[in-house]
Amino acid sequence: MPLRRPGPPRRRTARSLVGALLLAALCLTCAVPASAAATPARGSAYLGMGVLAHDGSAGSPTTGDATQTEGVDVSGYQGNVAWSTLWSSGVRWAYTKATEGTYYTNPYFAQQYNGSYDVGMIRGAYHFATPDTTTGATQANYFVANGGGWSKDGKTLPGVLDIEWNPYGDACYGKSASAMVSWIADFLNTYRSRTGRDAVIYTAASWWSQCTGDYAGFATANPLWVARYAADPGTLPAGWPYYTMWQYTSSGPTVGDHDKFNGALDRVVALANG
């Protein structure tokens, strides 16, 4: 039986060529898994990084409350901060990211920490915790050694343990609730032994419930800085009858993260003095 000769190749129409190009472009976006593309670089975390993604935003608090004092929190993300502008807008206290894990120090720490002090603000430092990398004691020592100390000068607030969703992986850093509580206690006990002060705990109620099992044992000694982007701070993490500070937005003026201290300026000074 004679072999059939292949016919001439079909000509691609302009429409099919456009379709092929579109498919190729779509494949480029599919080349990297979404989870990998969304994972930030180590060291880039900041106070409240996971709040919008996990808890969302639901309104803003009323302004001009004389019983609350406006504050901000900053990290290396903001670079050099216009502290005089913030002071003129009524901001009177500030926290600066000092460290993360045992592998990162904020390159803008000096400008941010000293700059806020120089314009008259009461300021402090915070540590972004990564309980999956090293022990709580190790991270507390790293924090104190790299800007997280305290002095009774009326202008320095106690250090903050920023404990929230893990931006690099599992929300609870792969720890059970009891293991997480132990890690936090290890950090807090070491910080107190190094500085003589009880650290502030920054967290969100939903994370605290998920990752500590609603542990209530830190409330008697450690002030609460609660994260909630809404008209009010809502239900607080277990154990705390009231908040000391409240991060209420990530989209405020000059720098995004704005906070309210639960008291007039004299109460901010009281916390600084211990």
Side-chain angles (χ1 to χ4, degrees):
M1 184 175 179
L3 296 175
R4 299 179 69 181
R5 295 179 63 185
R10 294 181 179 179
R11 292 183 179 179
R12 291 189 175 185
T13 65
R15 181 176 297 176
S16 63
L17 283 172
V18 170
L21 290 172
L22 287 172
L23 284 172
L26 287 172
C27 286
L28 288 175
T29 65
C30 299
V32 179
S35 58
T39 302
R42 284 274 179 182
S44 63
Y46 52 86
L47 201 81
M49 187 173 189
V51 174
L52 282 174
H54 292 271
D55 285 350
S57 178
S60 301
T62 57
T63 58
D65 189 338
T67 64
Q68 295 181 323
T69 308
E70 190 75 6
V72 295
D73 58 271
V74 298
S75 67
Y77 175 77
Q78 277 89 13
N80 292 323
V81 175
W83 290 111
S84 58
T85 301
L86 285 165
W87 176 266
S88 297
S89 71
V91 173
R92 292 295 178 263
W93 60 276
Y95 267 99
T96 295
K97 180 182 178 181
T99 50
E100 177 179 322
T102 54
Y103 49 80
Y104 173 86
T105 57
N106 177 5
Y108 292 94
F109 182 76
Q111 192 277 343
Q112 294 175 348
Y113 189 73
N114 297 329
S116 53
Y117 179 95
D118 289 343
V119 298
M121 293 184 193
I122 302 170
R123 51 79 161 108
Y126 77 85
H127 173 78
F128 192 96
T130 56
D132 57 337
T133 60
T134 48
T135 67
T138 300
Q139 292 193 30
N141 283 319
Y142 185 76
F143 178 44
V144 173
N146 291 280
W150 174 78
S151 59
K152 190 173 183 177
D153 57 4
K155 298 294 289 290
T156 304
L157 292 160
V160 170
L161 172 63
D162 176 4
I163 186 79
E164 57 177 292
W165 298 275
N166 179 10
Y168 312 116
D170 176 72
C172 300
Y173 301 85
K175 292 190 176 296
S176 66
S178 60
M180 181 62 75
V181 169
S182 295
W183 191 98
I184 294 170
D186 195 27
F187 182 100
L188 297 175
N189 291 337
T190 303
Y191 186 83
R192 181 171 178 77
S193 71
R194 289 291 306 274
T195 66
R197 290 301 307 272
D198 288 304
V200 174
I201 294 176
Y202 168 96
T203 196
S206 60
W207 183 91
W208 194 260
S209 176
Q210 176 186 356
C211 298
T212 74
D214 278 329
Y215 181 74
F218 298 126
T220 55
N222 302 98
L224 171 66
W225 188 353
V226 67
R228 187 169 188 256
Y229 301 163
D232 58 70
T235 301
L236 301 180
W240 282 280
Y242 59 88
Y243 68 90
T244 297
M245 292 171 281
W246 167 29
Q247 186 188 54
Y248 68 87
T249 185
S250 61
S251 56
T254 308
V255 297
D257 294 349
H258 276 244
D259 311 88
K260 291 188 181 296
F261 193 96
N262 192 11
L265 185 59
D266 65 321
R267 303 315 304 158
V268 185
V269 174
L271 180 62
N273 282 326

